[in-house]
Amino acid sequence: MPRFKLDFRLLDVRAELPALRDSVATLERQLEFIAAQRKRQVEADIAELGPDPDPGEVQLALQELAYEVEHTYPRVYRGSLLTVMWATYESAIVQVAEFLQRKKGLDIALVDVRGAGVVERARRYFRKALHCELYTGKDRQSDCARIYLVRNVFAHVNGRLAGVKDNQRSVIENMVEDGALREDLGYVVPTKEFLEFALDVIDGEVKGLVERTLKWDDERGGEANETVLL
């Protein structure tokens, strides 16, 4: 009976990345599908008004449709996916930190470190306790900071620009000027390109972190789990 060695170390972390990539790749098609469904529903509602509907009611229904399709749906769906992407990144960091803590036999854990946010605490924990770097480079640290800022706009104020703190609003406004984001009727809307950028950064950071961790474990005699496939 053949035996195959499969590596289950940090498998959950690695398995989530393809799901994120598929979600980003299909989101725009989903938005088009939802918009088409909503349009058919509004057209049916207008038809039920009778052969001679009130022009004001028709215009109001069409205006609401345009607002939902052009403004609300892109903001809600892209903002939600960005929030999930960042949660995946934070979860990966926590799992890698726990893996290394256990392997190194450390008493201090990531949860014991004080700081603002998981990533900032992890940056300090990786450097001082685990003696390795969290990021693949300084540029990626800056990229992650920008993604985190935009994520917070959706996680805390649902994209509403007026709810962004003054010291952060200028950064958001610069990103709007650069075309990474769109300002839309007082709300921040991530562009398709920004989602793809965020995905590339998070995908690269998670993969790099996992690869460095498993390489370190391999060099110290860590082994992949072995299973039998019939």
Side-chain angles (χ1 to χ4, degrees):
M1 180 181 300
R3 299 182 68 87
F4 297 87
K5 186 169 288 189
L6 301 180
D7 194 347
F8 289 103
R9 294 172 299 175
L10 301 173
L11 179 61
D12 289 347
V13 175
R14 292 180 281 138
E16 290 181 351
L17 295 176
L20 284 181
R21 190 162 292 281
D22 288 343
S23 297
V24 172
T26 60
L27 177 61
E28 301 307 313
R29 293 198 299 271
Q30 291 176 341
L31 285 173
E32 292 177 2
F33 176 75
I34 293 168
Q37 278 191 318
R38 182 66 180 130
K39 181 180 179 181
R40 286 193 294 270
Q41 181 181 346
V42 170
E43 290 173 344
D45 292 341
I46 292 174
E48 290 182 359
L49 296 176
D52 189 22
D54 180 88
E57 289 189 56
V58 173
Q59 186 63 24
L60 179 60
L62 293 176
Q63 287 178 347
E64 290 180 349
L65 172 64
Y67 184 83
E68 291 174 356
V69 170
E70 297 173 11
H71 306 288
T72 305
Y73 289 163
R75 171 174 57 84
V76 170
Y77 277 80
R78 290 176 186 159
S80 298
L81 183 52
L82 181 65
T83 303
V84 171
M85 289 167 58
W86 188 260
T88 299
Y89 179 49
E90 288 191 348
S91 175
I93 290 173
V94 171
Q95 291 186 64
V96 170
E98 291 173 346
F99 178 87
L100 288 173
Q101 179 200 358
R102 184 174 66 254
K103 289 284 186 174
K104 294 189 175 189
L106 301 178
D107 293 329
I108 186 172
L110 176 59
V111 295
D112 300 320
V113 180
R114 295 181 180 180
V118 171
V119 177
E120 176 57 24
R121 289 190 287 112
R123 184 185 65 81
R124 295 166 57 194
Y125 181 72
F126 272 70
R127 178 171 294 177
K128 295 183 178 181
L130 300 177
H131 303 293
C132 59
E133 293 296 327
L134 174 63
Y135 299 103
T136 58
K138 291 183 178 180
D139 289 343
R140 283 313 192 192
Q141 182 175 349
S142 176
D143 290 338
C144 286
R146 294 172 63 211
I147 296 168
Y148 182 54
L149 175 59
V150 179
R151 172 266 183 191
N152 285 346
V153 174
F154 287 93
H156 301 313
V157 294
N158 199 28
R160 190 168 59 89
L161 189 58
V164 180
K165 295 179 181 179
D166 292 340
N167 62 333
Q168 298 175 339
R169 191 177 304 169
S170 60
V171 179
I172 295 295
E173 290 173 347
N174 288 336
M175 295 175 71
V176 171
E177 291 181 4
D178 293 341
L181 306 174
R182 194 176 83 227
E183 183 180 350
D184 202 350
L185 301 177
Y187 285 87
V188 174
V189 181
T191 62
K192 172 177 176 288
E193 290 73 20
F194 183 77
L195 278 185
E196 293 172 343
F197 160 77
L199 174 65
D200 287 341
V201 171
I202 291 173
D203 183 271
E205 286 302 288
V206 171
K207 284 181 178 177
L209 185 59
V210 170
E211 288 172 0
R212 295 195 304 273
T213 300
L214 296 185
K215 179 181 179 181
W216 173 88
D217 193 39
D218 289 340
E219 291 173 350
R220 285 152 182 78
E223 292 187 1
N225 295 316
E226 188 174 273
T227 187
V228 176
L229 299 182
L230 301 179

